[in-house]
Amino acid sequence: METGLTYTSKTVVDERNTAIALGSGDMPVFATPAMMALMENAAMLAVNSHLPEGSTTVGGHIESSHLKPSPIGAEVEATATLDKIDGRKLYFSVVARQGNDVIGEGKHLRFIVDRERFLSKL
């Protein structure tokens, strides 16, 4: 695995991912938690095929702005880029866009874990 890996995840805003549906607000716009989940998904998929057999990644920290609202029907995408590798820690830059407009950006930390060992702690 090396820095520079990137992936873009996409979604369309609908009633299921609005602030109303997720309880993060009372308006029919793309919810901040949904945007952050899309960012996490992009980071997970950026490195997924580069992990050892039996490993996956889990989110450890995410911080992001949410700069503009996106209405129902809008196409939104989030791109994650792997900036730094420190042992099991993977550091990403994340950005969400609606068309050419940046609607959110931030940083995300993921950890490489062994699936079985991780689940055995539950």
Side-chain angles (χ1 to χ4, degrees), residues 45-83:
L45 293 173
V47 298
N48 196 45
S49 65
H50 299 273
L51 296 171
E53 184 73 26
S55 294
T56 190
T57 60
V58 294
H61 181 80
I62 188 166
E63 63 181 61
S64 176
S65 60
H66 193 169
L67 305 168
K68 291 184 171 188
S70 300
I72 291 175
E75 294 180 7
V76 175
E77 65 181 38
T79 300
T81 303
L82 180 59
D83 294 331

Side-chain angles (χ1 to χ4, degrees), residues 1-118:
M1 186 180 318
E2 60 188 46
T3 60
L5 294 173
T6 188
Y7 191 87
T8 299
S9 295
K10 300 177 182 184
T11 194
V12 174
V13 181
D14 62 27
E15 288 79 11
R16 296 170 295 161
N17 57 19
T18 64
I20 294 169
L22 297 183
S24 64
D26 62 1
M27 303 225 305
V29 294
F30 195 46
T32 301
M35 180 190 73
M36 294 177 86
L38 194 64
M39 290 171 163
E40 283 200 80
N41 180 261
M44 176 192 70
L45 293 173
V47 298
N48 196 45
S49 65
H50 299 273
L51 296 171
E53 184 73 26
S55 294
T56 190
T57 60
V58 294
H61 181 80
I62 188 166
E63 63 181 61
S64 176
S65 60
H66 193 169
L67 305 168
K68 291 184 171 188
S70 300
I72 291 175
E75 294 180 7
V76 175
E77 65 181 38
T79 300
T81 303
L82 180 59
D83 294 331
K84 179 181 169 186
I85 303 167
D86 182 11
R88 297 183 318 113
K89 296 178 184 177
L90 305 176
Y91 296 87
F92 296 86
S93 295
V94 289
V95 62
R97 290 184 175 83
Q98 180 189 328
N100 292 326
D101 294 334
V102 171
I103 63 166
E105 56 191 341
K107 298 290 182 183
H108 180 40
L109 167 65
R110 295 188 75 76
F111 293 93
I112 300 171
V113 298
D114 178 89
R115 280 178 192 276
E116 285 185 26
R117 204 159 118 213
F118 184 85

